[in-house]
Each structure stands twice: as C-alpha cells, then as structure tokens.
C-alpha cells in the first residue's frame, strides 16, 4: 500500500468525562462557561507540550473532549505510561483546581485508556490537512476499554 506503514505501538486515549454537560447547561453569556472552556483549552495546550517532551509520542486524533496519542519507537509502552503520568498531573494540578469553583453539578473526571497493538498509518494528503490516519483493531479495543469505564 502506497503511503501506508504498519506500526507496533502503544495507544493512549484521554477522555475528560463530564466536560460537555456544563457546556450545555450554561448560556453563552455565562462566565462559568468561559471558565470551563478556558480550562479545557489549557488542558489541551498542556497535553501538547507534554507530548512534545517525550520522544515517540504524537497526538493523532482529537475526540471532542479528549484525544488519542500514539507512542512508537524502541519502548513505546514506557513512553505511553510516561505520557499518561504527565497528563494525570496536568489534570490534577492545573485543570481540576480551575473547575472546582465552577457552579455546575457534574464533576469532570479524567478517563485513561492504554493499549498496545498494531495499527496502519495511512498518509491521506487530502484529509485533515494531510495528517496521517491510523487504522486497526487496536484503536477499537482502546475505545472499548475507555467506554467500559464508569464515569
């Protein structure tokens, strides 16, 4: 297959469960809504910084209130676990404290899925600005792991 490559990698799915509920509860002029959106922006910005600090980690897909990262290289599982620890610390130290005072009933929780398996990386220049697309059952298993967690 031209423009494709099979990768043995570790996959990380990060999901911020409960983020969308406050967004739909608030009116557009509600300052609490802006607090939630800014906390979310900061979380994603810090996640990108964390990904850039660990060789082999790439955030490859945004999933609304979360994202998927792929870890490749000599020790992909080690890189993925290091990344997850950084993400947990960002959430605990930065995101969660910013959301504590927001007057919504539902608490935002960090859900994490970690899986190791094979994926196919496909180059599709016409799709999403040329970003690679990742295919395979390993991604499906990862999504099932996270979706089976109780929020």
């Amino acid at each position: 297959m031209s423009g494709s490559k099979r990768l043995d990698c570790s996959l990380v799915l990060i999901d911020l469960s409960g983020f969308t509920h406050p967004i739909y509860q608030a009116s557009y002029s509600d300052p609490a809504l802006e607090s939630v959106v800014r906390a979310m922006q900061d979380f994603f910005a810090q996640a990108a910084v964390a990904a850039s600090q660990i060789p082999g980690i790439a955030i490859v897909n945004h999933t609304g209130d979360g994202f998927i990262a792929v870890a490749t290289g000599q020790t992909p599982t080690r890189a993925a676990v290091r990344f997850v620890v950084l993400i947990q610390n960002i959430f605990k130290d930065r995101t969660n404290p910013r959301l504590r005072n927001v007057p919504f009933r539902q608490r935002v929780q960090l859900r994490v899925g970690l899986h190791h398996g094979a994926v196919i990386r496909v180059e599709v220049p016409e799709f999403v600005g040329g970003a690679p697309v990742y295919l395979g059952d390993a991604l499906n298993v990862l999504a099932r792991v996270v979706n089976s967690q109780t929020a």
Side-chain angles (χ1 to χ4, degrees):
M1 289 183 281
S2 176
S4 66
K5 182 177 182 179
R6 183 183 186 279
L7 300 171
D8 189 41
C9 61
S10 290
L11 303 160
V12 176
L13 190 144
I14 301 295
D15 178 55
L16 297 175
S17 175
F19 243 128
T20 52
H21 185 71
I23 289 171
Y24 292 120
Q25 272 187 330
S27 69
Y28 287 109
S29 60
D30 190 336
L33 176 61
E34 182 150 341
S35 296
V36 170
V37 170
R38 289 200 187 285
M40 205 166 179
Q41 285 174 320
D42 180 67
F43 176 79
F44 289 128
Q46 292 303 311
V49 169
S52 71
Q53 294 172 347
I54 301 174
I57 290 285
I59 295 175
V60 299
N61 189 4
H62 181 264
T63 60
D65 55 0
F67 58 86
I68 296 173
V70 173
T72 58
Q74 295 280 44
T75 55
T77 302
R78 181 176 293 161
V81 169
R82 282 185 56 213
F83 181 62
V84 166
V85 168
L86 285 176
I87 294 300
Q88 288 174 321
N89 288 335
I90 290 166
F91 183 77
K92 178 180 63 114
D93 298 337
R94 291 180 66 113
T95 308
N96 210 25
R98 292 178 76 173
L99 295 172
R100 272 194 203 115
N101 298 325
V102 176
F104 297 119
R105 285 176 264 130
Q106 186 162 342
R107 205 177 88 194
V108 176
Q109 296 178 330
L110 177 68
R111 298 190 313 165
V112 176
L114 181 60
H115 183 61
H116 188 86
V119 297
I120 304 292
R121 177 184 166 156
V122 180
E123 301 292 334
V124 185
E126 304 81 10
F127 188 70
V128 193
V133 175
Y134 292 82
L135 310 169
D137 282 341
L139 288 161
N140 297 334
V141 170
L142 177 66
R144 287 186 197 110
V145 166
V146 172
N147 287 334
S148 69
Q149 296 176 12
T150 56

